[in-house]
Amino acid sequence: MANTVFCKKFQKDMEALDRAPLPGAKGQEILQNVSKQAWQEWQLLQTMMINEKQLNLMQPESRKYVMEQMEKFFNNEVTDKLSGYVSPDDITEL
């Protein structure tokens, strides 16, 4: 059976990540408090943010922005909206 964690995003016990997704203390915090599903959802949002906002992760301010958005996401706070993104729920058939 897979390891579980109490996921702070979904507020329930869920499947844990296999290993820390980041180095250091932040990676350990995520490993202990974020589920595999929440991390996968964050990765999708992160990719959209990087592309939409044309972030260069070689720049410290871009990395700081992504980390701030990640904290908001996992704490169920509002993250920045992506202007070009349309949720599949918002699409109506013609």
Side-chain angles (χ1 to χ4, degrees):
M1 184 168 138
N3 291 335
T4 61
V5 294
F6 185 80
C7 180
K8 68 181 188 177
K9 171 77 175 161
F10 295 109
Q11 294 295 300
K12 62 182 180 179
D13 286 325
M14 299 180 74
E15 184 178 355
L17 291 164
D18 296 326
R19 59 186 170 85
L22 299 173
K26 179 54 77 177
Q28 288 303 310
E29 178 187 335
I30 292 169
L31 182 64
Q32 294 169 3
N33 297 296
V34 174
S35 67
K36 183 181 273 189
Q37 180 182 340
W39 182 254
Q40 289 170 341
E41 288 181 16
W42 163 246
Q43 286 183 305
L44 291 173
L45 179 60
Q46 173 185 254
T47 299
M48 289 189 290
M49 284 183 172
I50 291 168
N51 290 334
E52 177 74 25
K53 297 185 177 292
Q54 299 179 352
L55 299 175
N56 177 354
L57 296 180
M58 294 295 290
Q59 298 176 339
E61 61 271 10
S62 292
R63 290 193 305 272
K64 181 181 179 205
Y65 171 78
V66 169
M67 294 300 283
E68 288 169 352
Q69 294 301 304
M70 180 180 73
E71 284 299 318
K72 287 181 179 181
F73 178 80
F74 290 134
N75 290 317
N76 291 310
E77 297 171 10
V78 177
T79 58
D80 287 352
K81 293 289 183 192
L82 303 175
S83 62
Y85 177 71
V86 178
S87 169
D89 297 334
D90 295 336
I91 298 174
T92 57
E93 292 186 39
L94 300 175

